[in-house]
């Protein structure tokens, strides 16, 4: 298994953001993680990537227990997430932001520069490579966020609503890029409200509701599940 999340609980005050969540994932798999707002999706990413420590439960990545390790240790082991709100270093250029991330896997300046250039080609921000990142549009910042994650050459990538707030052309670009990296064997989990995007990309879909996993199966199974229809698809958001 690439990832095993075993009976994870995370509470905030009296609120159970995650109630006994168990989930596993094989190398090369692409999962969609869906659920209403506040259902615990981002919290699950935060717990697994080391930003929060779970109250109980265990997370195993590549056969090693990573529960409670710090985010920088976990990312070095190859598990990297993007943020719902993009967080580039504002004064650095697009290229420099990606190069900083590329240093995680490349020791020399030259190797990091070349790796950053390859990522720039993929994400379509080449023309604005020299722009300071605070000048970017929201959509460009989201692409940069994805580029910074890819530059770390993750074994497993967590994408938190990377399509939210994008226009339809930008959304299509992201879907296309995700299809390409999926074909290359990249493992990733996609938190996404855009159901047609999830259905176009994910091989398996996990559904959270009030911090509980209420479905885990093929897209076909999940969209037919009564619990899911009730909890999520039947609700206007
Ligand atoms: P989702 O990403 O599915 O919209 P979240 O994981 O962000 O949901 O939130 C799940 C629940 O946990 C929500 O009720 C949210 O308010 C709460 N929550 C998340 N992070 C914190 C925090 N740092 N402190 C307190 N409550 C939090
Ligand atoms: Mg969220």
């Amino acid at each position: 298994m690439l990832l095993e999340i075993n009976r994870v609980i995370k509470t905030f005050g009296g609120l159970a953001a995650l109630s006994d969540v168990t989930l596993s994932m094989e190398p090369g798999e692409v999962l969609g993680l869906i659920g209403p707002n506040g259902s615990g999706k981002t919290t699950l990413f935060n717990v697994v990537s080391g930003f929060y420590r779970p109250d109980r439960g265990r997370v195993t990545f590549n056969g090693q227990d990573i529960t409670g390790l710090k985010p920088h240790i976990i990312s070095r082991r190859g598990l990297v997430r993007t943020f719902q709100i993009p967080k580039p270093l504002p004064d650095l250029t697009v290229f420099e932001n990606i190069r900083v991330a590329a240093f995680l896997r490349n020791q020399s300046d030259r190797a990091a520069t070349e790796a950053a250039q390859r990522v720039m080609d993929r994400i379509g921000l080449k023309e604005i490579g020299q722009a300071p990142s605070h000048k970017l549009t929201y959509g460009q910042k989201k692409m940069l966020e994805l580029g910074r994650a890819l530059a770390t050459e993750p074994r497993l990538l967590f994408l938190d609503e990377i399509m939210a707030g994008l226009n339809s052309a930008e959304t299509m670009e992201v879907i296309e890029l995700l299809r390409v990296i999926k074909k290359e064997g990249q493992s990733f989990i996609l938190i996404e409200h855009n159901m047609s995007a999830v259905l176009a990309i994910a091989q398996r879909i996990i559904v959270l509701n009030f911090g509980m996993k209420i479905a885990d199966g093929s897209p076909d199974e999940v969209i037919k599940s009564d619990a899911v229809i009730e909890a999520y698809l039947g609700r206007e958001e």
Side-chain angles (χ1 to χ4, degrees):
M1 283 297 165
L2 179 61
L3 178 70
E4 288 181 276
I5 299 172
N6 191 22
R7 309 202 67 171
V8 160
I9 296 178
K10 177 69 191 171
T11 55
F12 296 107
L15 175 95
L18 296 173
S19 300
D20 209 16
V21 174
T22 293
L23 160 65
S24 59
M25 180 176 187
E26 313 239 27
E29 262 198 299
V30 171
L31 305 192
L33 177 58
I34 67 171
N37 282 325
S39 56
K41 304 181 298 295
T42 297
T43 302
L44 188 62
F45 275 10
N46 280 325
V47 163
V48 174
S49 57
F51 289 85
Y52 296 156
R53 186 178 242 293
D55 303 347
R56 293 182 63 176
R58 201 174 60 215
V59 182
T60 309
F61 179 58
N62 257 326
Q64 291 181 309
D65 189 344
I66 59 164
T67 321
L69 295 185
K70 294 274 179 286
H72 70 278
I73 306 284
I74 293 178
S75 57
R76 200 170 303 151
R77 293 202 189 171
L79 196 162
V80 170
R81 54 87 63 87
T82 66
F83 288 90
Q84 211 167 330
I85 312 292
K87 292 185 172 179
L89 300 163
D91 296 329
L92 295 191
T93 66
V94 169
F95 180 70
E96 288 163 345
N97 261 289
I98 292 174
R99 206 169 78 108
V100 168
F103 271 111
L104 190 72
R105 298 282 170 236
N106 296 279
Q107 271 74 51
S108 74
D109 273 6
R110 188 169 155 207
T113 298
E114 285 171 3
Q117 265 151 359
R118 286 194 296 273
V119 171
M120 297 279 291
D121 282 341
R122 312 207 85 169
I123 61 171
L125 294 184
K126 225 171 179 185
E127 271 98 77
I128 55 161
Q130 297 313 314
S133 61
H134 69 261
K135 291 244 166 94
L136 303 187
T137 65
Y138 188 71
Q140 289 167 336
K141 279 186 187 155
K142 289 271 203 169
M143 284 311 267
L144 174 56
E145 182 76 5
L146 181 55
R148 292 169 73 214
L150 289 175
T152 68
E153 297 169 28
R155 275 173 195 256
L156 174 55
L157 179 58
F158 283 174
L159 301 170
D160 197 351
E161 297 197 24
I162 45 165
M163 295 174 217
L166 299 189
N167 65 35
S168 55
E170 291 166 335
T171 303
M172 303 250 288
E173 243 175 77
V174 173
I175 292 175
E176 190 45 43
L177 178 56
L178 295 183
R179 281 191 160 141
V180 170
I181 65 172
K182 174 183 169 184
K183 207 174 280 172
E184 291 169 352
Q186 175 72 57
S187 311
F188 59 96
I189 305 184
L190 184 68
I191 293 181
E192 191 50 62
H193 284 297
N194 178 339
M195 273 306 287
S196 56
V198 176
L199 294 172
I201 298 164
Q203 297 158 328
R204 176 154 68 98
I205 297 179
I206 315 292
V207 189
L208 291 182
N209 193 32
F210 295 112
M212 282 174 285
K213 187 171 93 167
I214 59 164
D216 180 342
S218 70
D220 268 0
E221 284 163 4
V222 164
I223 57 173
K224 281 188 208 137
S225 140
D226 288 342
V228 174
I229 292 166
E230 204 172 303
Y232 183 72
L233 299 172
R235 189 142 123 186
E236 294 288 307
E237 288 202 309

